[in-house]
Amino acid sequence: VSGYAAPSRLDHALEILATAPATILAGGTDFYPARVGRPLTEQVIDISGIGELRGISVTADVIRIGALTRWSEIRDAPLPRICDGLRLAAAEVGGRQVQNAGTIGGNLGNASPAADGVPPLLTLNAAVEVRSQQGVRVVPLAEFVTGYRRVDLHPGEMITAVLIPRGLDDAYSDFRKLGSRRYLVISIVMVAAVVAVDAGKEVVDARFAIGACSPVAQRLRALEGDLTGRRLAELAAIPHRGHLAVLSPIDDVRATADYRLEAALTLIRRVLAEVAP
Ligand SMILES: Cc1cc2nc3c(=O)[nH]c(=O)nc-3n(C[C@H](O)[C@H](O)[C@H](O)COP(=O)(O)OP(=O)(O)OC[C@H]3O[C@@H](n4cnc5c(N)ncnc54)[C@H](O)[C@@H]3O)c2cc1C
């Protein structure tokens, strides 16, 4: 790459990435704010014109969301009910302008602890499709984000899609984000959930993920285990602070660690109150 390249085909982009390290630029809504006030010195590969990376396709087995799919497209897509949490998150990524530019691939590539896309995708058991000239890898999202702003991408690779396995299409799905104001705000804590209930009103599958309370968003496996097999009427009393032991929130300008944990528990209880009104 010499400075800036804007390929219009994926194979060309992978060819460029194979020759020299370059920073990928998608919607630019994380890229540009991180570079305010300093000259651009890095090589940049702008993938925003690669049409084959955009759009959502639904087959019997998988929902495939191209890396360049914007939050506004996800927000408005006719997806199964189990994706309601993802669509609610899409509607809370910044404001309309950010949703019209920001992409799902960029949200995962940036890997912020407060990335709103990650918790709902964790509850959907999503995987990340990664490509290079060598071929394709599919990595579970829980393994793809390896740490604070760190992802499992090797030189020459880029995210090409997010894959959501089908199943439990009609499960209840939710996303709740707490910030210091209602809109356009970085999350203090967010909760994503999928809860599937059988005809006898017993929970057959419960998935909860918490964001902004640890370097990488976490599934709450202990809570999920305690909810599974329980009747709807029992759910509200089940969550307790011990279920949050996998979290490690920080004190910062937005909230104390203790407040974050208390808020997470409150949001979990609100989700369960909605499942079993
Ligand atoms: C005003 C404002 C409000 C915001 N509010 C929120 C919010 O509420 N919630 C939230 O989660 N985010 C928020 N963001 C952050 C941002 O909008 C999202 O994370 C968005 O999804 C980033 O996508 P992008 O296409 O703009 O990424 P870019 O800025 O283009 O890229 C982000 C990072 O990902 C890498 N990358 C991009 N695409 C790929 C790819 N295909 N493969 C590998 N690496 C890639 C880039 O190299 C870069 O490191 C906000 C941003 C702004 C400016």
Side-chain angles (χ1 to χ4, degrees), residues 1 5-6 20 25 44-46 60 66 81 87 130 138 149 160 163-164 174 176 196 207 216 229 231 259 262 276:
V1 182
L25 171 62
V44 174
I45 173 162
D46 179 347
R81 185 179 186 230
R87 294 181 58 239
V130 167
V138 174
R149 293 186 179 279
T160 46
L163 308 174
I164 300 170
D174 205 346
R176 293 178 188 231
R207 309 177 197 160
V216 182
R231 298 181 63 79
Y259 178 82
E262 208 46 49

Side-chain angles (χ1 to χ4, degrees), residues 26-106:
T29 59
D30 277 315
F31 175 93
Y32 289 115
R35 287 160 180 80
V36 171
R38 58 188 176 86
L40 271 182
T41 50
E42 72 224 82
Q43 309 298 317
V44 174
I45 173 162
D46 179 347
I47 61 169
S48 62
I50 305 178
E52 61 203 287
L53 290 179
R54 176 157 285 142
I56 302 174
S57 63
V58 181
T59 64
D61 303 327
V62 74
I63 299 169
R64 185 176 198 281
I65 306 179
L68 272 184
T69 308
R70 300 179 185 115
W71 288 114
S72 51
E73 296 167 69
I74 295 169
R75 184 192 67 209
D76 298 336
L79 295 170
R81 185 179 186 230
I82 194 173
C83 294
D84 282 0
L86 180 64
R87 294 181 58 239
L88 288 166
E92 296 219 35
V93 175
R96 289 284 166 128
Q97 296 94 332
V98 170
Q99 290 159 24
N100 284 338
T103 65
I104 192 166

